[in-house]
Amino acid sequence: MFAWEHAAQGALEAQLFDHVDARDFPCVGAKAALAKGTLEVLACNAIDSAWDDLRIHDRLLHFAADYRRDPALFRSFAVIFEGPDDLSEADFERALWQRVQSLSDKDVWRGQSYDDRVSPDPDNPHFSLSFGGEAFFIVGLHPHASRPARRFARPTMVFNLHDQFERLRAEGRYEGMREKIMVRDEAIAGSRNPMLARHGEASEARQYSGRVVDKDWRCPFSYAGAED
């Protein structure tokens, strides 16, 4: 790692940790990951550039493999970009899906299978992304998000493992945790997030960027691999 990369990594990591640790930050899952030391961070250059996509995909493969070796709950992988910090919600959404498409294409190129517990079709209510054979849900953060819970000083993509949500459901803990997050979110925003839906009820693709979209919105992602 070059000196500037090391400096950026430390600064952006500290920035995110302080943000998650703030009292009013609503996501209790991210707080749990921070407390356990399982919130991993990768500092990158620009969300509207493919420059770091191989680095990001490498880390996703390692993250997925590490989880299979030790499937402990509350792990997240955050990719923080130094910029641009002036993107509108629509621009951020566009850049996020560009990164998603590029990362998914690399997953196909590297011969990774799609997690068969989810669908690669973004119109399917059981859609999730897949990297290294593990399904992921993305939470996008950026400076100009309309929802306070999605507002952060740098463009950020947080990758959360789909399997963790399913395990929480199986343990009877998911609904209580979801409600707690929504109550905390409502406290800082004044309203509940209209985009939130349970997996299997509506495609989670609509939630990734944090922008409120209407029923006519179409996800720009298209899986390039063969569907089993």
Side-chain angles (χ1 to χ4, degrees):
M1 182 181 289
F2 294 111
W4 69 268
E5 290 178 324
H6 183 77
Q9 177 72 31
L12 296 179
E13 186 175 272
Q15 206 169 12
L16 181 65
F17 287 178
D18 287 347
H19 182 74
V20 172
D21 197 40
R23 187 169 184 173
D24 62 349
F25 184 74
C27 184
V28 293
K31 286 182 175 291
L34 178 63
K36 293 179 65 176
T38 50
L39 174 54
E40 297 185 23
V41 173
L42 178 67
C44 292
N45 185 16
I47 194 171
D48 57 356
S49 166
W51 183 263
D52 289 299
D53 286 354
L54 273 174
R55 291 179 62 224
I56 297 169
H57 190 253
D58 283 343
R59 286 289 295 271
L60 281 167
L61 293 184
H62 286 299
F63 189 82
D66 287 346
Y67 178 71
R68 282 193 291 271
R69 281 192 292 268
D70 178 18
L73 283 173
F74 304 116
R75 292 187 179 202
S76 290
F77 170 52
V79 180
I80 310 176
F81 299 89
E82 291 193 281
D85 59 8
D86 58 351
L87 297 175
S88 68
E89 284 199 298
D91 289 339
F92 173 77
E93 180 181 68
R94 189 177 302 109
L96 180 146
W97 284 107
Q98 287 172 353
R99 300 280 64 70
V100 166
Q101 186 68 62
S102 175
L103 293 169
S104 179
D105 291 348
K106 285 169 178 54
D107 213 63
V108 172
W109 171 56
R110 286 175 156 177
Q112 301 298 310
S113 60
Y114 213 94
D115 190 330
D116 61 11
R117 295 169 293 182
V118 299
S119 170
D121 178 3
D123 292 328
N124 189 305
H126 296 281
F127 168 76
S128 273
L129 295 168
S130 178
F131 303 107
E134 286 289 332
F136 285 87
F137 175 95
I138 290 178
V139 175
L141 310 172
H142 65 108
H144 299 290
S146 55
R147 299 291 301 185
R150 295 295 193 103
R151 212 171 288 154
F152 179 56
R154 306 284 185 170
T156 300
M157 297 168 65
V158 184
F159 294 80
N160 295 297
L161 290 149
H162 174 79
D163 186 63
Q164 295 191 134
F165 295 110
E166 294 305 313
R167 289 176 58 195
L168 288 168
R169 283 191 181 91
E171 295 172 10
R173 299 163 62 187
Y174 175 78
E175 289 298 332
M177 183 175 171
R178 181 178 186 272
E179 180 63 17
K180 187 173 184 179
I181 292 171
M182 292 184 72
V183 167
R184 290 169 62 87
D185 185 33
E186 184 177 15
I188 61 172
S191 64
R192 293 205 168 195
N193 190 337
M195 299 309 301
L196 295 185
R198 293 172 179 84
H199 185 79
E201 293 180 353
S203 173
E204 66 185 39
R206 298 167 63 86
Q207 303 177 42
Y208 286 3
S209 77
R211 186 172 76 91
V212 175
V213 298
D214 61 28
K215 60 182 177 59
D216 296 324
W217 180 83
R218 289 293 176 264
C219 178
F221 172 75
S222 178
Y223 179 57
E227 296 186 29
D228 295 331

